[in-house]
Amino acid sequence: MSQGQVYGGDEVNAIVLDPGSYSTRAGWSAEDCPSITEPSVCCVRGNSKKFGDSEASIVKPDKQIEQIMKDGVVNDFDAASELWMYTLCQASPHRSVEYLMESPLLITEQPWNPLATQKKTLEFGLEHLNVPAIYLAKSPTLSVFSAGRGTGLVVDVGEQVASVTPVLDGVCLRKPARKSRRAGKFLSEKVLELLKQKNIDVHATFEVSQKKPYSSLNGDAPGFVLRDVECTDSYRQYHRLKVVENFKETMVQVGEPNDTKRMFELPDGNQIELGAERFTLGDALFDSDLTTDTNESSKTTESTETKDSTETTETTETTETTESAESTETKESTESTESTELNGWSAKGLGQLIVESLNACDVDVRPNLANNIIITGGTSLVQGFTERVNQTLIKELPMLKIRVFASGNVTERKNSAWIGGSILSSLGTFHQLWVTKQEYEDAGVEQICQKRFR
Amino acid sequence: MSSGIGVHDDSLKAFNELKLGGGKKDSANYVIYRINDDKTEIIVEKKGRAADYDEFVELLPENECRYACYDFDYELAGGAGKRAKLIFYTWAPDTTPIRHKMVYASSRDALRRALNGVAVDIQGADYSEVDYDTVLSKVTLGKS
Ligand SMILES: Nc1ncnc2c1ncn2[C@@H]1O[C@H](COP(=O)(O)OP(=O)(O)OP(=O)(O)O)[C@@H](O)[C@H]1O
Ligand SMILES: [Mg+2]
């Protein structure tokens, strides 16, 4: 396909990639949901790196399973680019790279994605994969648009990050945005802690060769037989965590605690029945841990500064310029992990995070944001989550009218950014926004990032 | 970031007529816009004169997205006379399929930026957000 063909038609066949820290999603524009979803991990054996859910499920004595993302951004770019290539090829007809090379590529990113990663991402697309055109789309903007709004407060609770991002007329505001690690991984760790306290061992499915239902909580003797499998710790941990995630998805709830019992059977036959404790687990997403909130002082200064960048709601141009200056600063100060810990990570619970973010916005835009709170991300599927957000905000912000929107469709909730990107990139008119290879070669990666994607 | 969907000339013309009509008896007091079927441009779907505000609101479809402008009259408090303000609506009911919501939300800016003289912006996901009292309170606040 020549460039003329790519841009000639009304409908564009672009490929859309949404790299999350839990899963990496890919598929074609105009499709309803990503056709391929793979775990964001890399399976390492010696010098070989392999990807995909099925690869991660085949045990080998020396196979390590490593995370690709840390704090919601790429940690190991080489591994990430291989994972992306793998996932994109899985979504391509006949798994062909040639086919991909003919299609524009839209990649979603979080507003705090570092400049260095953006540059590598453009290189990945336009040089390594060799696509004719590329676009980096901000996840919160895609989520807010997919909810039918131009303006809203996006609350995205995924695996490694829970983030709150105000979006005004399609532009993400960085300074009043807030993020914490109280998301899916954090919740899984809480579940694991509780099980440990109760002396419950979690065995992965692959570790168990025979099981008989029993309940360690009732004092029954276990009746399972373990398989003698040689594997690495990271492999074992990864698969035990899968069990914990299933447990979490079935058991955890938020809201007014009650003693309604629910049961989950672990792969070794241990039947765990819990009541009110299921709510304690869920509360952890909303509780604030003030003792570890090292960030308090830096945040106060941040919210006073915010004034200038949020007042420019009419002229988004100005907002973007202000923000690009700010983000360059952030980039420089994130060179060492030490300062990242202090920079912008809150230990507050989700309700507080939302309140802080709103209060850091200009007073004029608060009512509109509070009235358009958009909930997205896998962890928001925890039972009672949306209601809890709603109630917390009504209580904390009595002066504002609160309206929370969360799609009732599970696929949409987990994939709002991907779906938004897929619809946008299917439009013929979107061609004006693609960065073509020509433009990239002429202007250079630095310029393209600064002008188009900061 | 926007969809790149453009604005048809007639869409601006209809807005200017609305603005200049300034409440004259037989001139239009509303314009409703939609995106054409090819998804390339924002066009006028309907324009005219609604007898009252509720009649205008009924023109917003229950399960489809639209943009609209309305010349909103209201009485000042304490009998200090009448005022009129131009209001811009982004109408996207929560029940609309995600595809439509995405296309409308990502194209809004192109139209909105082309319209000079809008006093208040209303984003509506259900009828309660566009009802007379809600809009009146935003109009009298002078803020969107
Ligand atoms: N029904 C459910 N109940 C509770 N948690 C769930 C449910 N479904 C998925 N999750 C959790 O959601 C998380 C994944 O969410 P999501 O796909 O939004 O993350 P991501 O986009 O890959 O990561 P991030 O946004 O943090 O980079 C996992 O922790 C998963 O266990
Ligand atoms: Mg995510």
Side-chain angles (χ1 to χ4, degrees):
Chain A
M1 208 193 287
S2 74
Q3 290 211 352
Q5 276 170 292
V6 172
Y7 307 120
D10 291 338
E11 288 271 302
V12 175
N13 213 11
I15 187 141
V16 179
L17 180 72
D18 177 21
S21 51
Y22 187 72
S23 43
T24 301
R25 300 157 274 242
W28 294 91
S29 58
E31 284 177 356
D32 291 337
C33 63
S35 53
I36 303 292
T37 299
E38 297 288 6
S40 300
V41 295
C42 173
C43 304
V44 184
R45 292 180 69 196
N47 287 329
S48 119
K49 286 179 185 166
K50 286 191 176 168
F51 302 90
D53 194 37
S54 47
E55 178 62 33
S57 305
I58 304 167
V59 61
K60 293 279 183 249
D62 58 343
K63 186 184 281 177
Q64 303 277 1
I65 298 195
E66 293 172 1
Q67 298 294 322
I68 301 273
M69 313 269 284
K70 187 170 183 288
D71 290 340
V73 297
V74 174
N75 185 36
D76 172 351
F77 199 88
D78 291 337
S81 80
E82 284 186 56
L83 167 68
W84 296 354
M85 191 63 118
Y86 171 86
T87 313
L88 291 168
C89 284
Q90 290 293 107
S92 179
H94 317 295
R95 305 201 175 150
S96 125
V97 190
E98 284 73 31
Y99 203 91
L100 292 174
M101 286 165 58
E102 294 169 352
S103 317
L105 171 66
L106 183 141
I107 305 186
T108 69
E109 61 169 7
Q110 291 293 359
W112 62 88
N113 198 22
L115 180 64
T117 311
Q118 282 189 321
K119 286 186 191 167
K120 285 185 190 161
T121 305
L122 293 184
E123 274 162 29
F124 163 81
L126 294 167
E127 295 179 33
H128 187 54
L129 185 57
N130 203 12
V131 294
I134 198 167
Y135 192 79
L136 305 182
K138 299 276 181 277
S139 293
T141 303
L142 293 172
S143 298
V144 91
F145 281 173
S146 73
R149 280 99 161 150
T151 293
L153 190 73
V154 178
V155 177
D156 178 357
V157 189
E159 164 76 350
Q160 296 178 349
V161 189
S163 62
V164 181
T165 312
V167 179
L168 290 186
D169 292 337
V171 178
C172 299
L173 303 184
R174 286 168 205 252
K175 285 197 174 173
R178 292 289 180 271
K179 59 191 194 300
S180 87
R181 299 188 179 90
R182 285 172 189 262
K185 181 164 174 265
F186 169 87
L187 193 54
S188 299
E189 283 161 4
K190 287 282 162 199
V191 170
L192 206 54
E193 265 171 37
L194 179 78
L195 296 177
K196 266 205 193 112
Q197 266 171 32
K198 295 184 175 293
N199 293 316
I200 297 166
D201 288 327
V202 176
H203 295 107
T205 315
F206 81 91
E207 295 178 285
V208 179
S209 75
Q210 271 177 46
K211 68 165 182 178
K212 216 168 66 198
Y214 76 104
S215 163
S216 69
L217 292 176
N218 291 346
D220 301 347
F224 60 85
V225 179
L226 291 183
R227 209 187 296 266
D228 190 15
V229 194
E230 206 190 323
C231 70
T232 62
D233 278 352
S234 65
Y235 185 89
R236 198 184 298 278
Q237 285 314 321
Y238 176 79
H239 286 280
R240 288 183 177 176
L241 209 57
K242 290 279 145 219
V243 174
V244 172
E245 283 159 8
N246 286 333
F247 181 98
K248 169 181 82 174
E249 290 172 21
T250 318
M251 303 290 268
V252 176
Q253 202 168 341
V254 291
E256 263 319 292
N258 62 55
D259 208 33
T260 314
K261 298 256 189 294
R262 234 184 252 171
M263 200 269 279
F264 184 87
E265 189 181 293
L266 293 169
D268 62 14
N270 197 355
Q271 298 186 331
I272 315 290
E273 200 182 54
L274 295 179
E277 281 161 305
R278 300 187 294 112
F279 293 87
T280 320
L281 288 169
D283 279 344
L285 294 172
F286 291 87
D287 293 341
S288 291
D289 179 358
L290 294 169
T291 52
T292 60
D293 196 3
T294 44
N295 198 24
E296 203 42 41
S297 56
S298 71
K299 234 171 346 190
T300 332
T301 34
E302 228 177 280
S303 44
T304 14
E305 284 165 33
T306 307
K307 289 273 150 51
D308 349 319
S309 79
T310 47
E311 261 161 27
T312 54
T313 58
E314 279 286 85
T315 44
T316 31
E317 235 65 281
T318 328
T319 315
E320 274 167 348
T321 336
T322 325
E323 300 211 341
S324 69
E326 176 239 356
S327 55
T328 335
E329 283 162 32
T330 324
K331 195 234 134 198
E332 277 161 29
S333 57
T334 46
E335 297 297 338
S336 78
T337 3
E338 274 278 311
S339 58
T340 321
E341 295 299 321
L342 301 169
N343 258 317
W345 287 96
S346 173
K348 300 235 168 87
L350 189 64
Q352 278 309 308
L353 222 55
I354 299 175
V355 170
E356 275 190 14
S357 174
L358 275 171
N359 286 337
C361 289
D362 192 80
V363 68
D364 286 358
V365 300
R366 281 180 213 164
N368 202 6
L369 292 173
N371 198 41
N372 292 284
I373 293 174
I374 314 297
I375 306 273
T376 183
T379 300
S380 74
L381 290 165
V382 167
Q383 272 193 56
F385 184 95
T386 306
E387 198 37 44
R388 171 77 187 257
V389 170
N390 194 32
Q391 282 173 0
T392 309
L393 296 181
I394 287 173
K395 197 167 133 251
E396 299 279 324
L397 301 165
M399 304 298 286
L400 290 170
K401 185 170 163 267
I402 305 293
R403 193 171 193 276
V404 178
F405 174 76
S407 169
N409 176 317
V410 171
T411 315
E412 286 181 10
R413 192 86 74 79
K414 284 191 184 174
N415 299 298
S416 63
W418 188 92
I419 296 172
S422 129
I423 298 167
L424 206 56
S425 61
S426 73
L427 297 169
T429 52
F430 192 70
H431 73 84
Q432 305 161 29
L433 281 99
W434 291 114
V435 169
T436 63
K437 199 184 225 136
Q438 189 66 51
E439 215 180 319
Y440 170 81
E441 280 164 5
D442 293 347
V445 67
E446 186 76 43
Q447 281 293 312
I448 297 283
C449 282
Q450 293 295 356
K451 283 219 176 100
R452 300 289 307 277
F453 301 126
R454 296 311 292 176
Chain B
M1 180 170 68
S2 68
S3 68
I5 287 178
V7 180
H8 193 282
D9 286 347
D10 289 349
S11 298
L12 298 183
K13 229 189 266 166
F15 175 78
N16 286 329
E17 282 163 19
L18 182 71
K19 199 159 92 176
L20 298 173
K24 270 178 244 137
K25 260 218 170 79
D26 47 354
S27 65
N29 64 356
Y30 74 83
V31 185
I32 293 181
Y33 299 98
R34 70 175 181 89
I35 292 175
N36 66 355
D37 297 337
D38 292 345
K39 301 207 185 75
T40 52
E41 274 185 323
I42 297 171
I43 57 174
V44 173
E45 183 187 50
K46 256 183 226 155
K47 55 184 179 180
R49 186 158 190 92
D52 57 22
Y53 185 73
D54 290 346
E55 189 180 304
F56 158 71
V57 168
E58 277 166 28
L59 296 171
L60 298 172
E62 203 174 331
N63 293 308
E64 285 176 53
C65 302
R66 291 290 184 271
Y67 312 107
C69 281
Y70 186 78
D71 190 9
F72 190 89
D73 322 297
Y74 61 103
E75 299 273 347
L76 288 177
K82 275 194 159 193
R83 282 282 184 285
K85 274 187 180 163
L86 279 176
I87 305 197
F88 183 82
Y89 296 80
T90 310
W91 174 244
D94 282 340
T95 49
T96 320
I98 193 166
R99 184 167 299 278
H100 296 269
K101 287 194 275 195
M102 185 72 204
V103 174
Y104 271 80
S106 62
S107 307
R108 170 195 178 271
D109 255 23
L111 177 62
R112 179 61 187 83
R113 280 164 190 253
L115 308 180
N116 289 317
V118 170
V120 177
D121 282 285
I122 301 281
Q123 185 165 261
D126 67 35
Y127 288 106
S128 76
E129 291 184 291
V130 295
D131 71 17
Y132 186 82
D133 292 336
T134 309
V135 174
L136 181 66
S137 70
K138 292 198 179 171
V139 169
T140 46
L141 259 174
K143 283 169 189 162
S144 49

